[in-house]
Amino acid sequence: AQSVTQLGSHVSVSEGALVLLRCNYSSSVPPYLFWYVQYPNQGLQLLLKYTSAATLVKGINGFEAEFKKSETSFHLTKPSAHMSDAAEYFCAVTLNSGNTPLVFGKGTRLSVIA
Amino acid sequence: NAGVTQTPKFRILKIGQSMTLQCTQDMNHNYMYWYRQDPGMGLKLIYYSVGAGITDKGEVPNGYNVSRSTTEDFPLRLELAAPSQTSVYFCASSYSTSWGSEAFFGQGTRLTVV
């Protein structure tokens, strides 16, 4: 079965610093990978997704992620953190075959310090 | 665009009571899901449906029931509420689970069982 592991339940960065949120996946077949963001008291919204096209994926709000098969990773980055980036971020995986719903990681809470 | 609508937003139940969490979507999506979110645990899949009349168990189905009589609606039923069911519940829908189809989430229902 597929799964994702997010390293670090809480990451704190200074405003303007690099954001790096880590996600490693486990899958027996080629996966589709997603990053979702959840702002306080809201539902989840899609940041970006990897669907086996380009390995470097650009999303909304300046975020991007790179699929690295050799490392089974899909880390999320943003060059310069903004206060509005403070939220919880979830990595998720599904398979490119069959009816397999999204499986989520446990989430990483990002704090941005002024 | 309404997207995925969940009602109610908040509810307090007494142990042993029952209730139905409502979810409706207006995007004509075949796939619908119920997740629960607990602090530090990410989202866990309760039930999902790949179309009207078809439902299947997710990772944590015990204590819940679902039905899917129409494409639009996917209610979640709690028959005998227990404190362990205190959580935030999210309904989601997608066009497919294949091809990296994005899941759209509702705003969530915060349920407390006392």
Side-chain angles (χ1 to χ4, degrees):
Chain A
Q2 68 277 20
S3 66
V4 290
T5 301
Q6 291 184 241
L7 300 175
S9 59
H10 182 211
V11 170
S12 185
V13 301
S14 298
E15 192 173 21
L18 171 72
V19 175
L20 171 61
L21 304 181
R22 300 178 186 273
C23 174
N24 288 90
Y25 70 90
S26 173
S27 174
S28 57
V29 298
Y32 292 135
L33 292 158
F34 304 75
W35 276 100
Y36 282 82
V37 61
Q38 183 182 31
Y39 298 103
N41 299 316
Q42 294 190 23
L44 281 70
Q45 65 181 87
L46 182 69
L47 266 181
L48 50 81
K49 64 181 180 182
Y50 165 76
T51 57
S52 74
T55 56
L56 181 62
V57 181
K58 294 186 185 298
I60 62 172
N61 301 337
F63 284 93
E64 63 181 36
E66 186 172 7
F67 174 73
K68 292 187 176 180
K69 185 178 179 180
S70 60
E71 299 177 7
T72 61
S73 69
F74 189 58
H75 301 331
L76 182 71
T77 60
K78 181 175 180 178
S80 177
H82 192 271
M83 298 298 289
S84 61
D85 295 327
E88 188 142 21
Y89 293 80
F90 293 92
C91 184
V93 63
T94 187
L95 304 180
N96 66 358
S97 61
N99 297 323
T100 53
L102 282 172
V103 175
F104 285 86
K106 293 185 176 182
T108 298
R109 184 164 60 90
L110 175 67
S111 297
V112 182
I113 303 167
Chain B
N1 291 333
V4 179
T5 302
Q6 291 182 237
T7 56
K9 289 186 168 53
F10 304 93
R11 183 72 185 267
I12 298 175
L13 274 184
K14 294 184 178 179
I15 295 172
Q17 286 185 323
S18 62
M19 77 164 293
T20 299
L21 282 65
Q22 301 291 346
C23 175
T24 187
Q25 53 93 6
D26 62 359
M27 296 172 282
N28 201 31
H29 285 166
N30 287 325
Y31 294 76
M32 295 188 74
Y33 320 87
W34 275 105
Y35 289 90
R36 61 176 286 171
Q37 183 181 25
D38 301 299
M41 300 302 293
L43 280 79
K44 293 189 182 297
L45 183 67
I46 305 171
Y47 272 95
Y48 68 103
S49 169
V50 302
I54 306 170
T55 62
D56 208 347
K57 296 178 180 178
E59 184 181 358
V60 290
N62 291 343
Y64 307 95
N65 280 299
V66 294
S67 60
R68 184 93 182 273
S69 57
T70 66
T71 299
E72 295 78 18
D73 300 308
F74 190 42
L76 177 71
R77 180 83 177 162
L78 284 71
E79 290 294 349
L80 290 170
S84 61
Q85 293 177 305
T86 294
S87 188
V88 181
Y89 292 84
F90 287 99
C91 180
S93 73
S94 66
Y95 174 73
S96 168
T97 61
S98 299
W99 312 298
S101 182
E102 175 185 355
F104 293 83
F105 284 79
Q107 295 292 295
T109 296
R110 186 175 296 274
L111 176 66
T112 303
V113 182
V114 296

